[in-house]
Amino acid sequence: MLEVSGLTTKYGEISALREAGLHVGSGEVVGLIGPNGAGKTTLLNSIAGLLTPSEGSVTFEGEDITGRPPEDLVRLGLALVPEHRRVFVDLTAEENLKIGGVTTAGADRAELLEEMGERFPMLRDKWTTPAGYLSGGEAQQLAIARALMSEPRLLMMDEPSLGLAPILVDVVFDLIESLRAQGRTLLVVEQNATRMLDLADRAYVLRSGEVVAEGTGAELRGNKDLFDTFVGN
Amino acid sequence: MAELLQNLIDGLGRGSIYALLALGVAVIFGVMHLLNFAHGELITVSGYAAFWAINAGWSWYLTVPLIVVVSVATSLVIERIAFSRVRGADDFTLLLTSFGVHFVVSAVFLLYVSASFKTFARPGWVTDTYSVGSLRVEVFDTVVIAVTVVALIATTLLLQRTMFGLALRAAAADFDTARLMGVRSDSVIRGAFALSGVLAGIAGVFWLMRAGSTFPTAGINPMLKGVLAALIGGLGSLRGAVLGGFALGLAEVLLRSRLPDSVASLTEGVVFLLIALLFIFRPQGLVAVAHAERV
């Protein structure tokens, strides 16, 4: 479904990402782990069109989407839950969701809103609350629900559990689990490597902008050296 | 007391026009961080359109929609020719570009039309007044205030109730994330310029009805009022811009009527002094914006 090869992205002269490659098959849950500054966010942002790679290519369902702007990609079925959630703080929870569904037709949007309300009862109670007043866990759920409003075929999430209390981290992982049960295709960046490896079908390890390892959760965890060096803890 | 009420009405009338101008400035600033010093050009250009139309025998009834249409078209053309090329540039580049647009527009009218004032007949009722108790109220002020209230309500509904309004607010808060959701930067920026053009067009109708003339640099004064009012209100805040417009209008009227005759001609200077004082004590303006961040 998603094929990334030889992707290099630079901030000025510095390459934050060097010839990174990965692939995600339909229905797969793929993890992206690695220490801070490894280039995980740069990789997701380069796929989603927020950053323009200087070399390499991104192919989504057979179509070359390298360097296409994000507003086009979401229409193709590729959505990103950005790092730090980035909910629109002045907009209500409902308005945030509507914006998430800006690419869907009016009637579908209303239906999806309904669906999100049922799926995220916690948000339903805060429908008319400006997102700036939501707790971290609520805001994260809102960010994910907002991305789901575009009915993505591939959903990318950047550190969905970052900065959340342990109990809310559980909520987020349960949510990923349920999305997986629905057969959704996910590419998830997580600093919580252990849990991500338990959940993912496969994972890639990034370090200093390069993909240094790939494998199933069990394979990556089995390689003790790799796990300790690249994942930390 | 009666005099204060009189000032209040006069100030609201004047402030209404400033509020419409400031709202247009704020909408553009919100969505692309451009402090638009070319905003007054919309009135310069539509002023010449009014001059042409009235002198060609058009009635004001026909000229009013013409002014609004010309203002919107000018706004979109300026966006296309100038601002779309510097989208995403730093604030200073955007600022200089807007100055450039101002000078180019003035120069075009100076070179190809005339350096002198072009006058046109004002509608007859502009100077009419009616009495309410001891107050003398201008018909003009009444119309201005009523139309402004309607325009502000319509703008509020547009921003609150429509997908375009939502997209505009989302883009103003965080452009990248709005694009991630699928909001098209082109349509939201052009929409903002169109909205700004409509608001300036309405303000322009009243401005031109009262002035009855235009000249190459006619845009400077309305631009200054709009930009100042937006600054007073707190840049980026739409509510603040409207508030700033009314505050500026009231301050001008109050000062003009209260200052001793010998310094009344310095009203503008005193207004600037007050604005300077405001910024010393409240640099964020009347209404602070949480996300005065680059979009």
Side-chain angles (χ1 to χ4, degrees):
Chain A
M1 178 175 258
L2 180 76
E3 194 81 43
V4 176
S5 71
L7 209 64
T8 299
T9 301
K10 294 178 177 172
Y11 294 111
E13 287 297 297
I14 300 152
S15 297
L17 199 63
R18 257 171 283 171
E19 298 184 9
L22 62 79
H23 65 95
V24 180
S26 188
E28 259 193 320
V29 175
V30 175
L32 206 52
I33 57 181
N36 280 334
K40 306 185 296 287
T41 295
T42 304
L43 179 51
L44 285 198
N45 287 349
S46 303
I47 296 171
L50 283 177
L51 294 171
T52 312
S54 52
E55 280 163 58
S57 71
V58 184
T59 312
F60 182 62
E61 299 200 312
E63 190 172 342
D64 184 2
I65 58 162
T66 322
R68 301 246 328 243
E71 55 263 46
D72 284 358
L73 299 182
V74 68
R75 287 174 170 81
L76 293 176
L78 195 133
L80 168 67
V81 180
E83 195 182 18
H84 307 306
R85 324 188 233 289
R86 307 270 288 260
V87 293
F88 301 108
V89 293
D90 293 337
L91 272 58
T92 66
E94 186 187 13
E95 288 172 335
N96 267 275
L97 293 176
K98 281 185 176 168
I99 280 293
V102 74
T103 56
T104 48
D108 297 347
R109 197 186 305 131
E111 208 168 287
L112 280 162
L113 264 179
E114 215 35 53
E115 203 181 307
M116 294 305 152
E118 279 162 30
R119 176 160 204 162
F120 302 92
M122 202 175 180
L123 287 181
R124 193 75 191 82
D125 301 333
K126 303 285 171 81
W127 223 231
T128 55
T129 307
Y133 293 106
L134 298 181
S135 70
E138 289 163 347
Q140 186 61 60
Q141 292 191 45
L142 178 61
I144 295 171
R146 185 180 63 176
L148 289 173
M149 287 292 293
S150 69
E151 301 199 279
R153 277 180 288 174
L154 170 63
L155 179 63
M156 303 192 288
M157 295 189 222
D158 197 346
E159 305 262 23
S161 76
L162 190 69
L164 297 184
I167 187 160
L168 292 167
V169 173
D170 289 346
V171 171
V172 167
F173 274 96
D174 287 348
L175 186 59
I176 298 175
E177 187 70 62
S178 76
L179 290 171
R180 166 217 191 81
Q182 282 187 329
R184 289 193 189 259
T185 312
L186 306 172
L187 176 58
V188 186
V189 162
E190 249 307 328
Q191 97 284 1
N192 197 332
T194 324
R195 293 192 70 166
M196 195 60 229
L197 289 179
D198 287 343
L199 192 72
D201 297 313
R202 285 185 304 116
Y204 292 86
V205 181
L206 243 76
R207 192 193 62 157
S208 310
E210 291 175 61
V211 175
V212 292
E214 181 215 340
T216 63
E219 283 165 8
L220 289 172
R221 295 189 74 163
N223 190 336
K224 195 84 178 76
D225 285 348
L226 179 89
F227 193 71
D228 288 347
T229 323
F230 296 147
V231 179
N233 307 334
Chain B
M1 187 61 206
E3 196 189 345
L4 194 66
L5 259 172
Q6 183 75 58
N7 290 158
L8 195 69
I9 295 167
D10 296 347
L12 283 179
R14 193 181 273 252
S16 291
I17 299 176
Y18 297 169
L20 293 171
L21 290 168
L23 189 54
V25 169
V27 164
I28 302 284
F29 184 85
V31 78
M32 69 181 283
H33 244 230
L34 158 70
L35 188 52
N36 190 5
F37 280 95
H39 195 56
E41 304 324 305
L42 307 184
I43 290 184
T44 309
V45 178
S46 40
Y48 281 98
F51 159 71
W52 173 84
I54 296 287
N55 287 311
W58 289 36
S59 72
W60 270 100
Y61 290 108
L62 284 172
T63 306
V64 165
L66 176 76
I67 289 172
V68 177
V69 168
V70 168
S71 173
V72 173
T74 307
S75 187
L76 290 172
V77 168
I78 289 176
E79 193 278 330
R80 193 58 181 274
I81 293 178
F83 296 127
S84 70
R85 291 166 207 277
V86 288
R87 226 182 256 174
D90 59 278
D91 296 1
F92 193 60
T93 305
L94 293 170
L95 197 72
L96 286 182
T97 306
S98 78
F99 269 114
V101 169
H102 158 68
F103 285 117
V104 169
V105 172
S106 326
V108 164
F109 285 108
L110 192 64
L111 284 172
Y112 299 106
V113 184
S114 164
S116 60
F117 276 74
K118 292 289 179 193
T119 58
F120 43 88
R122 309 189 298 173
W125 50 269
V126 156
T127 46
D128 289 354
T129 58
Y130 61 93
S131 306
V132 180
S134 62
L135 300 176
R136 292 210 67 75
V137 184
E138 289 191 358
V139 176
F140 184 74
D141 274 343
T142 315
V143 174
V144 170
I145 294 168
V147 170
T148 301
V149 167
V150 172
L152 293 179
I153 291 172
T155 307
T156 307
L157 289 176
L158 177 79
L159 292 174
Q160 300 288 342
R161 301 283 170 83
T162 67
M163 275 314 278
F164 166 72
L166 270 185
L168 194 76
R169 285 158 62 211
D174 183 344
F175 214 123
D176 270 347
T177 305
R179 291 178 69 200
L180 266 184
M181 302 300 125
V183 172
R184 293 204 184 276
S185 33
D186 265 351
S187 48
V188 80
I189 288 176
R190 283 186 202 141
F193 273 90
L195 174 59
S196 172
V198 171
L199 295 167
I202 298 171
V205 165
F206 296 129
W207 192 283
L208 295 165
M209 275 183 175
R210 179 152 266 177
S213 68
T214 190
F215 50 100
T217 52
I220 293 183
N221 210 6
M223 176 277 286
L224 273 180
K225 304 299 184 191
V227 169
L228 274 179
L231 282 167
I232 293 169
L235 257 184
S237 164
L238 304 185
R239 218 167 289 146
V242 173
L243 210 61
F246 285 117
L248 184 61
L250 281 170
E252 284 183 5
V253 168
L254 281 173
L255 285 170
R256 191 150 301 177
S257 80
R258 296 305 154 92
L259 286 177
D261 286 346
S262 53
V263 289
S265 57
L266 296 177
T267 302
E268 299 261 300
V270 177
V271 168
F272 274 98
L273 202 66
L274 286 178
I275 293 170
L277 284 175
L278 170 75
F279 286 133
I280 289 172
F281 294 107
R282 204 172 156 76
Q284 69 274 42
L286 297 175
V287 179
V289 180
H291 49 69
E293 201 44 54
R294 158 127 207 103
V295 290

mmCIF file with all atom_site columns, all heavy atoms in Angstrom, chain A residues 92-107:
data_model
loop_
_atom_site.group_PDB
_atom_site.id
_atom_site.type_symbol
_atom_site.label_atom_id
_atom_site.label_alt_id
_atom_site.label_comp_id
_atom_site.label_asym_id
_atom_site.label_entity_id
_atom_site.label_seq_id
_atom_site.pdbx_PDB_ins_code
_atom_site.Cartn_x
_atom_site.Cartn_y
_atom_site.Cartn_z
_atom_site.occupancy
_atom_site.B_iso_or_equiv
_atom_site.pdbx_formal_charge
_atom_site.auth_seq_id
_atom_site.auth_comp_id
_atom_site.auth_asym_id
_atom_site.auth_atom_id
_atom_site.pdbx_PDB_model_num
ATOM 1   N N   . THR A 1 92  ? -14.236 24.209 18.737 1.00 0.00 ? 92  THR A N   1
ATOM 2   C CA  . THR A 1 92  ? -14.807 23.201 19.627 1.00 0.00 ? 92  THR A CA  1
ATOM 3   C C   . THR A 1 92  ? -14.421 21.815 19.125 1.00 0.00 ? 92  THR A C   1
ATOM 4   O O   . THR A 1 92  ? -13.943 21.660 17.995 1.00 0.00 ? 92  THR A O   1
ATOM 5   C CB  . THR A 1 92  ? -16.343 23.285 19.645 1.00 0.00 ? 92  THR A CB  1
ATOM 6   O OG1 . THR A 1 92  ? -16.823 22.934 18.344 1.00 0.00 ? 92  THR A OG1 1
ATOM 7   C CG2 . THR A 1 92  ? -16.831 24.678 20.001 1.00 0.00 ? 92  THR A CG2 1
ATOM 8   N N   . ALA A 1 93  ? -14.638 20.821 19.990 1.00 0.00 ? 93  ALA A N   1
ATOM 9   C CA  . ALA A 1 93  ? -14.333 19.441 19.595 1.00 0.00 ? 93  ALA A CA  1
ATOM 10  C C   . ALA A 1 93  ? -15.077 19.094 18.311 1.00 0.00 ? 93  ALA A C   1
ATOM 11  O O   . ALA A 1 93  ? -14.507 18.527 17.378 1.00 0.00 ? 93  ALA A O   1
ATOM 12  C CB  . ALA A 1 93  ? -14.722 18.490 20.723 1.00 0.00 ? 93  ALA A CB  1
ATOM 13  N N   . GLU A 1 94  ? -16.349 19.472 18.258 1.00 0.00 ? 94  GLU A N   1
ATOM 14  C CA  . GLU A 1 94  ? -17.151 19.170 17.072 1.00 0.00 ? 94  GLU A CA  1
ATOM 15  C C   . GLU A 1 94  ? -16.587 19.850 15.830 1.00 0.00 ? 94  GLU A C   1
ATOM 16  O O   . GLU A 1 94  ? -16.494 19.246 14.755 1.00 0.00 ? 94  GLU A O   1
ATOM 17  C CB  . GLU A 1 94  ? -18.599 19.622 17.302 1.00 0.00 ? 94  GLU A CB  1
ATOM 18  C CG  . GLU A 1 94  ? -19.525 19.213 16.188 1.00 0.00 ? 94  GLU A CG  1
ATOM 19  C CD  . GLU A 1 94  ? -20.929 19.815 16.339 1.00 0.00 ? 94  GLU A CD  1
ATOM 20  O OE1 . GLU A 1 94  ? -21.093 20.733 17.164 1.00 0.00 ? 94  GLU A OE1 1
ATOM 21  O OE2 . GLU A 1 94  ? -21.832 19.364 15.632 1.00 0.00 ? 94  GLU A OE2 1
ATOM 22  N N   . GLU A 1 95  ? -16.183 21.123 15.975 1.00 0.00 ? 95  GLU A N   1
ATOM 23  C CA  . GLU A 1 95  ? -15.627 21.851 14.829 1.00 0.00 ? 95  GLU A CA  1
ATOM 24  C C   . GLU A 1 95  ? -14.314 21.228 14.365 1.00 0.00 ? 95  GLU A C   1
ATOM 25  O O   . GLU A 1 95  ? -14.035 21.159 13.165 1.00 0.00 ? 95  GLU A O   1
ATOM 26  C CB  . GLU A 1 95  ? -15.433 23.327 15.181 1.00 0.00 ? 95  GLU A CB  1
ATOM 27  C CG  . GLU A 1 95  ? -16.744 24.087 15.292 1.00 0.00 ? 95  GLU A CG  1
ATOM 28  C CD  . GLU A 1 95  ? -16.585 25.500 15.836 1.00 0.00 ? 95  GLU A CD  1
ATOM 29  O OE1 . GLU A 1 95  ? -15.602 25.775 16.566 1.00 0.00 ? 95  GLU A OE1 1
ATOM 30  O OE2 . GLU A 1 95  ? -17.447 26.336 15.540 1.00 0.00 ? 95  GLU A OE2 1
ATOM 31  N N   . ASN A 1 96  ? -13.506 20.769 15.324 1.00 0.00 ? 96  ASN A N   1
ATOM 32  C CA  . ASN A 1 96  ? -12.266 20.072 14.970 1.00 0.00 ? 96  ASN A CA  1
ATOM 33  C C   . ASN A 1 96  ? -12.570 18.850 14.102 1.00 0.00 ? 96  ASN A C   1
ATOM 34  O O   . ASN A 1 96  ? -11.902 18.597 13.106 1.00 0.00 ? 96  ASN A O   1
ATOM 35  C CB  . ASN A 1 96  ? -11.526 19.626 16.231 1.00 0.00 ? 96  ASN A CB  1
ATOM 36  C CG  . ASN A 1 96  ? -10.503 20.642 16.708 1.00 0.00 ? 96  ASN A CG  1
ATOM 37  O OD1 . ASN A 1 96  ? -9.369  20.662 16.241 1.00 0.00 ? 96  ASN A OD1 1
ATOM 38  N ND2 . ASN A 1 96  ? -10.908 21.499 17.628 1.00 0.00 ? 96  ASN A ND2 1
ATOM 39  N N   . LEU A 1 97  ? -13.598 18.114 14.504 1.00 0.00 ? 97  LEU A N   1
ATOM 40  C CA  . LEU A 1 97  ? -13.957 16.917 13.745 1.00 0.00 ? 97  LEU A CA  1
ATOM 41  C C   . LEU A 1 97  ? -14.478 17.280 12.355 1.00 0.00 ? 97  LEU A C   1
ATOM 42  O O   . LEU A 1 97  ? -14.157 16.624 11.371 1.00 0.00 ? 97  LEU A O   1
ATOM 43  C CB  . LEU A 1 97  ? -15.011 16.100 14.499 1.00 0.00 ? 97  LEU A CB  1
ATOM 44  C CG  . LEU A 1 97  ? -14.530 15.467 15.808 1.00 0.00 ? 97  LEU A CG  1
ATOM 45  C CD1 . LEU A 1 97  ? -15.680 14.770 16.512 1.00 0.00 ? 97  LEU A CD1 1
ATOM 46  C CD2 . LEU A 1 97  ? -13.399 14.481 15.551 1.00 0.00 ? 97  LEU A CD2 1
ATOM 47  N N   . LYS A 1 98  ? -15.270 18.367 12.289 1.00 0.00 ? 98  LYS A N   1
ATOM 48  C CA  . LYS A 1 98  ? -15.785 18.795 10.989 1.00 0.00 ? 98  LYS A CA  1
ATOM 49  C C   . LYS A 1 98  ? -14.640 19.141 10.041 1.00 0.00 ? 98  LYS A C   1
ATOM 50  O O   . LYS A 1 98  ? -14.685 18.806 8.864  1.00 0.00 ? 98  LYS A O   1
ATOM 51  C CB  . LYS A 1 98  ? -16.712 20.006 11.148 1.00 0.00 ? 98  LYS A CB  1
ATOM 52  C CG  . LYS A 1 98  ? -18.095 19.636 11.630 1.00 0.00 ? 98  LYS A CG  1
ATOM 53  C CD  . LYS A 1 98  ? -18.973 20.877 11.650 1.00 0.00 ? 98  LYS A CD  1
ATOM 54  C CE  . LYS A 1 98  ? -20.400 20.534 12.024 1.00 0.00 ? 98  LYS A CE  1
ATOM 55  N NZ  . LYS A 1 98  ? -21.166 21.761 12.321 1.00 0.00 ? 98  LYS A NZ  1
ATOM 56  N N   . ILE A 1 99  ? -13.650 19.833 10.565 1.00 0.00 ? 99  ILE A N   1
ATOM 57  C CA  . ILE A 1 99  ? -12.482 20.170 9.733  1.00 0.00 ? 99  ILE A CA  1
ATOM 58  C C   . ILE A 1 99  ? -11.781 18.889 9.287  1.00 0.00 ? 99  ILE A C   1
ATOM 59  O O   . ILE A 1 99  ? -11.327 18.773 8.150  1.00 0.00 ? 99  ILE A O   1
ATOM 60  C CB  . ILE A 1 99  ? -11.510 21.096 10.508 1.00 0.00 ? 99  ILE A CB  1
ATOM 61  C CG1 . ILE A 1 99  ? -12.026 22.522 10.464 1.00 0.00 ? 99  ILE A CG1 1
ATOM 62  C CG2 . ILE A 1 99  ? -10.099 21.043 9.937  1.00 0.00 ? 99  ILE A CG2 1
ATOM 63  C CD1 . ILE A 1 99  ? -11.993 23.140 9.082  1.00 0.00 ? 99  ILE A CD1 1
ATOM 64  N N   . GLY A 1 100 ? -11.726 17.910 10.184 1.00 0.00 ? 100 GLY A N   1
ATOM 65  C CA  . GLY A 1 100 ? -11.137 16.625 9.811  1.00 0.00 ? 100 GLY A CA  1
ATOM 66  C C   . GLY A 1 100 ? -11.876 16.001 8.647  1.00 0.00 ? 100 GLY A C   1
ATOM 67  O O   . GLY A 1 100 ? -11.302 15.275 7.845  1.00 0.00 ? 100 GLY A O   1
ATOM 68  N N   . GLY A 1 101 ? -13.169 16.309 8.540  1.00 0.00 ? 101 GLY A N   1
ATOM 69  C CA  . GLY A 1 101 ? -13.976 15.743 7.471  1.00 0.00 ? 101 GLY A CA  1
ATOM 70  C C   . GLY A 1 101 ? -14.201 16.709 6.327  1.00 0.00 ? 101 GLY A C   1
ATOM 71  O O   . GLY A 1 101 ? -15.151 16.549 5.559  1.00 0.00 ? 101 GLY A O   1
ATOM 72  N N   . VAL A 1 102 ? -13.315 17.688 6.195  1.00 0.00 ? 102 VAL A N   1
ATOM 73  C CA  . VAL A 1 102 ? -13.510 18.724 5.163  1.00 0.00 ? 102 VAL A CA  1
ATOM 74  C C   . VAL A 1 102 ? -13.492 18.130 3.758  1.00 0.00 ? 102 VAL A C   1
ATOM 75  O O   . VAL A 1 102 ? -14.093 18.670 2.830  1.00 0.00 ? 102 VAL A O   1
ATOM 76  C CB  . VAL A 1 102 ? -12.456 19.864 5.318  1.00 0.00 ? 102 VAL A CB  1
ATOM 77  C CG1 . VAL A 1 102 ? -11.080 19.437 4.860  1.00 0.00 ? 102 VAL A CG1 1
ATOM 78  C CG2 . VAL A 1 102 ? -12.878 21.109 4.566  1.00 0.00 ? 102 VAL A CG2 1
ATOM 79  N N   . THR A 1 103 ? -12.840 16.973 3.603  1.00 0.00 ? 103 THR A N   1
ATOM 80  C CA  . THR A 1 103 ? -12.768 16.363 2.269  1.00 0.00 ? 103 THR A CA  1
ATOM 81  C C   . THR A 1 103 ? -13.943 15.428 1.994  1.00 0.00 ? 103 THR A C   1
ATOM 82  O O   . THR A 1 103 ? -14.081 14.927 0.884  1.00 0.00 ? 103 THR A O   1
ATOM 83  C CB  . THR A 1 103 ? -11.473 15.547 2.112  1.00 0.00 ? 103 THR A CB  1
ATOM 84  O OG1 . THR A 1 103 ? -11.419 14.587 3.164  1.00 0.00 ? 103 THR A OG1 1
ATOM 85  C CG2 . THR A 1 103 ? -10.244 16.424 2.187  1.00 0.00 ? 103 THR A CG2 1
ATOM 86  N N   . THR A 1 104 ? -14.763 15.170 3.005  1.00 0.00 ? 104 THR A N   1
ATOM 87  C CA  . THR A 1 104 ? -15.895 14.269 2.782  1.00 0.00 ? 104 THR A CA  1
ATOM 88  C C   . THR A 1 104 ? -17.168 15.070 2.501  1.00 0.00 ? 104 THR A C   1
ATOM 89  O O   . THR A 1 104 ? -17.293 16.211 2.937  1.00 0.00 ? 104 THR A O   1
ATOM 90  C CB  . THR A 1 104 ? -16.133 13.353 4.009  1.00 0.00 ? 104 THR A CB  1
ATOM 91  O OG1 . THR A 1 104 ? -16.137 14.157 5.183  1.00 0.00 ? 104 THR A OG1 1
ATOM 92  C CG2 . THR A 1 104 ? -15.052 12.311 4.137  1.00 0.00 ? 104 THR A CG2 1
ATOM 93  N N   . ALA A 1 105 ? -18.086 14.479 1.782  1.00 0.00 ? 105 ALA A N   1
ATOM 94  C CA  . ALA A 1 105 ? -19.324 15.173 1.430  1.00 0.00 ? 105 ALA A CA  1
ATOM 95  C C   . ALA A 1 105 ? -20.153 15.430 2.682  1.00 0.00 ? 105 ALA A C   1
ATOM 96  O O   . ALA A 1 105 ? -20.037 14.708 3.680  1.00 0.00 ? 105 ALA A O   1
ATOM 97  C CB  . ALA A 1 105 ? -20.110 14.328 0.444  1.00 0.00 ? 105 ALA A CB  1
ATOM 98  N N   . GLY A 1 106 ? -20.983 16.458 2.630  1.00 0.00 ? 106 GLY A N   1
ATOM 99  C CA  . GLY A 1 106 ? -21.756 16.893 3.787  1.00 0.00 ? 106 GLY A CA  1
ATOM 100 C C   . GLY A 1 106 ? -22.512 15.797 4.516  1.00 0.00 ? 106 GLY A C   1
ATOM 101 O O   . GLY A 1 106 ? -22.425 15.681 5.740  1.00 0.00 ? 106 GLY A O   1
ATOM 102 N N   . ALA A 1 107 ? -23.237 14.962 3.776  1.00 0.00 ? 107 ALA A N   1
ATOM 103 C CA  . ALA A 1 107 ? -24.046 13.920 4.401  1.00 0.00 ? 107 ALA A CA  1
ATOM 104 C C   . ALA A 1 107 ? -23.162 12.875 5.087  1.00 0.00 ? 107 ALA A C   1
ATOM 105 O O   . ALA A 1 107 ? -23.432 12.451 6.216  1.00 0.00 ? 107 ALA A O   1
ATOM 106 C CB  . ALA A 1 107 ? -24.923 13.250 3.350  1.00 0.00 ? 107 ALA A CB  1
#
